[in-house]
Amino acid sequence: MELTGKIIAVLPANQGVSQRTGNPWMSQEYVIEVPGQYPRKCVFRIFGEDRIRQFNIQSGEELTVSFDIDAHEYNGRWFNEIRAYNISRGVPGMAAPVAGVAPVPGVAPVAGVAPQAPVTSAPAGDAGSADDLPF
């Protein structure tokens, strides 16, 4: 899966030593805001000191984040984890619009979601038809 947006927060890195293997580990979380009429925010994690340094994510950057979603259970509760595996700098080109649907000015498209045609109401003369559904 992918999200394209602006990094609005870089959270402190976490590190430790694995109890199972004895090897050191490091992870860091970031908050990305996806633009649109109702902007969405998502926290994602990068695991591994080498990847954290390779991606070198800074607050305010426009990025496309490729990630996997996984869940784990702890004390009877389930938690989602969004783990990034690739980062692309810059905003990719806009996709071609779906035939017959014009883009709405001022609203950014959401990656992976096709725009929907506007809903039109029936003419007032059809109010007495057998199909009384409002849509």
Side-chain angles (χ1 to χ4, degrees):
M1 301 180 98
E2 288 186 344
L3 281 178
T4 299
K6 182 178 181 180
I7 299 298
I8 60 170
V10 177
L11 304 177
N14 296 315
Q15 56 188 357
V17 177
S18 171
Q19 291 179 352
R20 187 172 48 100
T21 64
N23 295 330
W25 59 267
M26 180 182 241
S27 71
Q28 190 162 12
E29 293 181 326
Y30 305 86
V31 180
I32 188 168
E33 183 175 54
V34 179
Q37 182 178 6
Y38 303 105
R40 297 176 294 157
K41 296 174 186 75
C42 180
V43 175
F44 66 92
R45 176 184 307 229
I46 296 178
F47 191 83
E49 185 175 2
D50 56 335
R51 283 188 159 166
I52 293 169
R53 288 189 180 156
Q54 173 190 356
F55 296 145
N56 190 28
I57 298 172
Q58 304 297 318
S59 185
E61 283 188 291
E62 292 282 334
L63 302 175
T64 297
V65 180
S66 301
F67 60 90
D68 289 323
I69 300 175
D70 195 18
H72 63 276
E73 183 265 339
Y74 179 74
N75 288 340
R77 294 191 60 198
W78 285 87
F79 300 89
N80 289 322
E81 182 173 1
I82 300 172
R83 198 178 274 197
Y85 60 86
N86 193 22
I87 302 293
S88 301
R89 296 224 158 28
V91 180
M94 300 259 308
V98 176
V101 178
V104 177
V107 177
V110 177
V113 178
Q116 296 181 356
V119 177
T120 58
S121 59
D126 289 345
S129 70
D131 186 11
D132 291 332
L133 294 176
F135 49 91

